[in-house]
Amino acid sequence: MATAVGTAVPLERGVRRRLALGRNLPGYMFLAPWLAGFLLLTLGPTVVSLWLSFTNFDLIGDPRWVGAANYVRIATADEKFWTSMKVTFLYVVLAVPFKLTFALLVAMALNKGISGLTVYRAIFYLPSLLGASVAIAVLWRNLFAGDGLVNQLLFWAFGLKGPSWVSDPDYALYTLVILSIWQFGSPMIIFLAGLRQIPQDMYEAASLDGAGPTRQFFKITLPLLTPVVFFNAVVQTIEAFKAFTPAFIVSEGTGGPVDSTLFYTLYLYQEAFAFLRMGYASALAWILVVIIAFFTAFSFLTAKYWVHYDD
Amino acid sequence: MTDAAHHAPVSVTAPPDNPGLPTPLWQRVLIHGVLIAASFVMLYPLLWMFASSLKPEHEIFSNPSIWPKSADFGAYVRGWFGLRYSFGTFFWNSAVIAVLAVIGNVLSCSLAAYAFTRLKFAGRDFWFAMMLGTLMMPHHVVLIPQYVLFLNIGWVDTILPLVVPKFLAVDAFFIFLMVQFFRGIPRELDEAAAMDGCGPWRIYWRIMLPLSLPVLATAAIFTFIWTWDDFFAPLIYLNDMGSYTAQLGLRAFVDSSGKSDWGALFAMSVLTLLPVFVVFLFFQRLLIDGIATTGMKR
């Protein structure tokens, strides 16, 4: 399409640009769906969300700029925020370590070269896979109801009369912790894969030197497994911070009894979609981001003191 | 263990079951005993729920056995028609959303992964870094603006907010997964095809995709299960009962008739778990390898 024959320089520049475009075009065509999604559904909303967190917005009127008022209220005048923080942290601190411990113990038992490995592995993994569904939360609510299976078994086995777990604020959160522990399958599979990377000759050498199983565990297994422990801990902690469905179903969307299962995400949901305080909820979302970012950064910074990569 | 297994990030092709030192017989017996007991504890709640769906009402809360005295499927009928819409509607809605999500995710994520691994273009590394950055962000940040956006363009109460983002590769995790896999495919293959005059589209469609079936299948299966199980997004976007998914239908059932008809509630719970369970039975190996090699959440 070279029309202007006499003007060599602009033509060349045009051709060069067209060549560059031709070089880049296929890449951007393949990237287009992601790029559109990234700009419209991720980057744009992230910016808007930050802005909304400084406004009052009820979906009907226009957002009204209030400066840092939302954050100030969260920090100083919102008891529910602090309750939900306490509930969430308690949940994370209890659920994650227990879950990882079970996952590691079962993975080590499965790594003993026993038969039927694939069957056991499948059975232990199944609850993790089903766990996010409403049905499991419904099941849990019934297991731990006053006349539910758990109390039936307690009575049948020990003659104990259990509390009505899910409607007792002293116990409701623990039933959710137990639910989370029941789903130890996916970290278990990752532990199992990690255990199989440990060279067997290390154990052989250790037992020749007279090291018992406990010593082998603390001197070989655990140190060599720290990268996997680290990975599982970070992933599971972030997931635990974001837990929602079980608390929603078990408490019928209220976070009750007496806010004892008011997970942070549940509180955020209530503020946004029950009370239509979208600006306030955006501020809550950003606090969650900061907490998760802080936690992740902290994990990575401390990792160098306890995570061993073979080098 | 083979040498290759040492060097793989995490072994994909599992080494033989026996990893070295033989375990003494008494230990094996003990381990099997503990594992069988643990398996029973893991499965007991699920079996109890299934049994309860077949038991008459009075037996559910008096008989902790997982063997009902007599099997009665009446609860399934009562549950299925227990709401204004039948569960057939909810299952259909879930199936449509899940299938579209699978197609969307596999297509859009593989397109992006192909661009990131095989095509050269200005800004590629920058966008790749951006993509990795989105992996870390909790979804809650974009939740409210996305809702406002979909509300304003009239998509609330349609399946579009649940499906369209999948076609825009919003689940960056799967892009990452596919990038890892594509990098393992020898470049010579598509370079040879390019020599023969294949354009990028044909290379993507005729060479990369067919060679990537394992990772595409893993992405498809996890997308299906996660979409099927998803409660939060449908809860926000679907308000009209006629558009409910199975998860929302179950929750509505809990809130209404479920409280007086436990058998029907458990029956519907069993049914909503069934598709995931069936997928698990068929693709167990793929799912477990996917978890082991990439450390997917859950």
Side-chain angles (χ1 to χ4, degrees), chain B residues 4-295:
Chain B
H6 282 255
H7 292 107
V10 170
S11 75
V12 190
T13 48
D17 269 358
N18 189 342
L21 294 185
T23 313
L25 181 69
W26 68 269
Q27 267 192 29
R28 282 165 184 270
V29 173
L30 185 72
I31 290 172
H32 275 293
V34 172
L35 288 176
I36 289 170
S39 302
F40 186 69
V41 173
M42 295 296 281
L43 292 183
Y44 188 70
L46 296 170
L47 295 172
W48 177 79
M49 176 166 64
F50 179 60
S52 297
S53 72
L54 301 173
K55 286 175 185 171
E57 205 65 26
H58 61 85
E59 211 188 305
I60 293 178
F61 290 104
S62 63
N63 176 14
S65 162
I66 50 175
W67 308 116
K69 291 191 182 96
S70 61
D72 170 19
F73 285 88
Y76 283 82
V77 180
R78 293 197 307 276
W80 189 265
F81 299 106
L83 292 170
R84 201 149 41 82
Y85 290 84
S86 83
F87 267 78
T89 309
F90 308 146
F91 275 90
W92 172 252
N93 293 337
S94 275
V96 169
I97 293 170
V99 167
L100 288 175
V102 167
I103 296 170
N105 249 352
V106 169
L107 267 182
S108 63
C109 293
S110 63
L111 284 171
Y114 179 71
F116 284 134
T117 49
R118 287 301 208 263
L119 299 174
K120 285 202 180 81
F121 53 92
R124 184 182 70 174
D125 294 346
F126 171 76
W127 295 121
F128 189 67
M130 288 282 143
M131 190 276 289
L132 290 182
T134 61
L135 286 174
M136 309 277 178
M137 284 293 253
H139 177 70
H140 302 81
V141 190
V142 294
L143 182 71
I144 288 165
Q146 275 189 9
Y147 180 81
V148 175
L149 172 72
F150 291 136
L151 184 71
N152 283 330
I153 56 179
W155 284 9
V156 167
D157 261 325
T158 73
I159 64 167
L160 293 174
L162 306 175
V163 165
V164 171
K166 309 285 177 187
F167 281 86
L168 301 180
V170 175
D171 291 338
F173 175 75
F174 291 113
I175 304 181
F176 180 68
L177 193 68
M178 291 176 193
V179 163
Q180 298 297 93
F181 193 91
F182 286 3
R183 280 184 177 153
I185 297 176
R187 266 179 185 279
E188 289 79 22
L189 281 171
D190 38 312
E191 275 164 8
M195 294 285 205
D196 292 345
C198 282
W201 177 256
R202 270 174 71 114
I203 294 175
Y204 160 78
W205 191 252
R206 305 297 287 270
I207 294 177
M208 295 303 272
L209 287 194
L211 288 175
S212 312
L213 286 182
V215 72
L216 301 182
T218 303
I221 292 162
F222 273 103
T223 304
F224 179 84
I225 292 175
W226 292 346
T227 312
W228 185 273
D229 277 349
D230 188 18
F231 176 63
F232 194 76
L235 177 69
I236 292 173
Y237 288 113
L238 305 176
N239 303 312
D240 174 51
M241 194 181 266
S243 62
Y244 273 13
T245 60
Q247 306 293 334
L248 288 184
L250 184 59
R251 187 253 169 152
F253 196 67
V254 178
D255 288 353
S256 61
S257 50
K259 288 213 180 76
S260 50
D261 192 346
W262 297 106
L265 176 60
F266 289 130
M268 290 309 103
S269 298
V270 169
L271 288 186
T272 61
L273 291 177
L274 203 59
V276 177
F277 185 69
V278 170
V279 167
F280 174 71
L281 277 189
F282 279 100
F283 301 105
Q284 207 219 100
R285 186 55 192 262
L286 212 59
L287 289 167
I288 284 175
D289 283 347
I291 292 273
T293 48
T294 66

Side-chain angles (χ1 to χ4, degrees), chain A residues 94-107:
Chain A
L94 288 175
V96 176
F98 276 111
K99 189 181 202 168
L100 293 185
T101 307
F102 272 101
L104 181 56
L105 288 177
V106 174

Side-chain angles (χ1 to χ4, degrees), chain A residues 231-272:
Chain A
F231 176 86
N232 273 338
V234 171
V235 170
Q236 292 300 328
T237 305
I238 293 176
E239 286 301 301
F241 269 119
K242 297 196 292 192
F244 176 79
T245 307
F248 185 93
I249 297 296
V250 166
S251 70
E252 296 173 359
T254 63
V258 211
D259 291 343
S260 61
T261 61
L262 187 69
F263 281 15
Y264 192 78
T265 52
L266 186 49
Y267 180 49
L268 196 159
Y269 167 82
Q270 286 181 351
E271 283 295 317

Side-chain angles (χ1 to χ4, degrees), chain A residues 56-311:
Chain A
N56 277 348
F57 180 41
D58 61 0
L59 271 190
I60 300 143
D62 286 330
R64 198 163 44 78
W65 183 264
V66 293
N70 288 330
Y71 292 96
V72 171
R73 201 185 122 206
I74 287 169
T76 56
D78 187 350
E79 260 180 58
K80 276 209 162 194
F81 166 79
W82 293 107
T83 307
S84 71
M85 273 288 172
K86 220 164 57 193
V87 168
T88 308
F89 270 94
L90 195 57
Y91 175 74
V92 170
V93 165
L94 288 175
V96 176
F98 276 111
K99 189 181 202 168
L100 293 185
T101 307
F102 272 101
L104 181 56
L105 288 177
V106 174
M108 282 170 51
L110 288 179
N111 197 39
K112 285 283 186 188
I114 49 157
S115 53
L117 169 81
T118 49
V119 177
Y120 287 127
R121 207 176 47 175
I123 290 174
F124 292 135
Y125 179 50
L126 182 65
S128 300
L129 202 62
L130 300 175
S133 57
V134 171
I136 295 298
V138 168
L139 168 64
W140 225 251
R141 207 173 87 181
N142 286 290
L143 288 181
F144 287 94
D147 53 358
L149 181 66
V150 170
N151 281 347
Q152 284 176 50
L153 290 177
L154 281 178
F155 188 77
W156 176 74
F158 307 107
L160 287 174
K161 194 171 163 1
S164 56
W165 306 88
V166 286
S167 46
D168 186 328
D170 288 339
Y171 297 102
L173 182 64
Y174 300 106
T175 66
L176 296 176
V177 170
I178 293 170
L179 173 57
S180 172
I181 297 170
W182 184 61
Q183 298 163 354
F184 67 79
S186 89
M188 174 207 72
I189 286 169
I190 299 169
F191 274 136
L192 191 56
L195 284 171
R196 297 188 151 205
Q197 304 296 306
I198 300 177
Q200 278 307 312
D201 41 16
M202 298 189 79
Y203 292 108
E204 281 157 27
S207 44
L208 285 180
D209 292 347
T214 318
R215 228 179 124 76
Q216 288 185 18
F217 175 76
F218 284 107
K219 292 291 172 189
I220 302 172
T221 312
L222 204 54
L224 288 178
L225 213 56
T226 44
V228 184
V229 174
F230 176 69
F231 176 86
N232 273 338
V234 171
V235 170
Q236 292 300 328
T237 305
I238 293 176
E239 286 301 301
F241 269 119
K242 297 196 292 192
F244 176 79
T245 307
F248 185 93
I249 297 296
V250 166
S251 70
E252 296 173 359
T254 63
V258 211
D259 291 343
S260 61
T261 61
L262 187 69
F263 281 15
Y264 192 78
T265 52
L266 186 49
Y267 180 49
L268 196 159
Y269 167 82
Q270 286 181 351
E271 283 295 317
F273 297 98
F275 307 125
L276 296 183
R277 291 197 276 259
M278 295 283 173
Y280 197 68
S282 298
L284 289 173
W286 275 97
I287 289 172
L288 183 66
V289 174
V290 171
I291 289 172
I292 289 180
F294 181 81
F295 164 78
T296 314
F298 179 78
S299 314
F300 276 87
L301 286 177
T302 54
K304 64 172 180 236
Y305 299 109
W306 65 276
V307 178
H308 305 280
Y309 295 98
D310 43 312
D311 37 17

